[in-house]
Amino acid sequence: MPTYAYACKDCDHAFDIVQSFSDSSLTECPECKGALRKKFNSVGVVFKGSGFYRTDSRDAKGSTVSAAPAAPSQAPAAAPATAAASS
């Protein structure tokens, strides 16, 4: 379950609370019964560098299917062996 941060608009009391996604936001300060506001923190995960974008792994046409593999190259035919002349 996520942890949410709240701060009171009246007395500046700040606190964190663990709430389910389905729970409604708190509206009343437990200290002074004033109005609360939910504080939003920065994101804990930052993606940097290449490889994190949708288009990085696609070709220019936008296809997600890779091209068919090339046929294996054939080695050049070996030159016929010549008998070594022995004299």
Side-chain angles (χ1 to χ4, degrees), residues 20-52:
S20 173
F21 288 112
S22 60
D23 291 346
S24 56
S25 296
L26 300 179
T27 57
E28 187 176 277
C29 176
E31 296 285 319
C32 72
K33 307 297 183 209
L36 285 179
R37 66 179 175 89
K38 189 182 282 190
K39 294 171 41 178
F40 294 97
N41 298 324
S42 62
V43 178
V45 177
V46 177
F47 296 106
K48 293 184 178 181
S50 63
F52 295 108

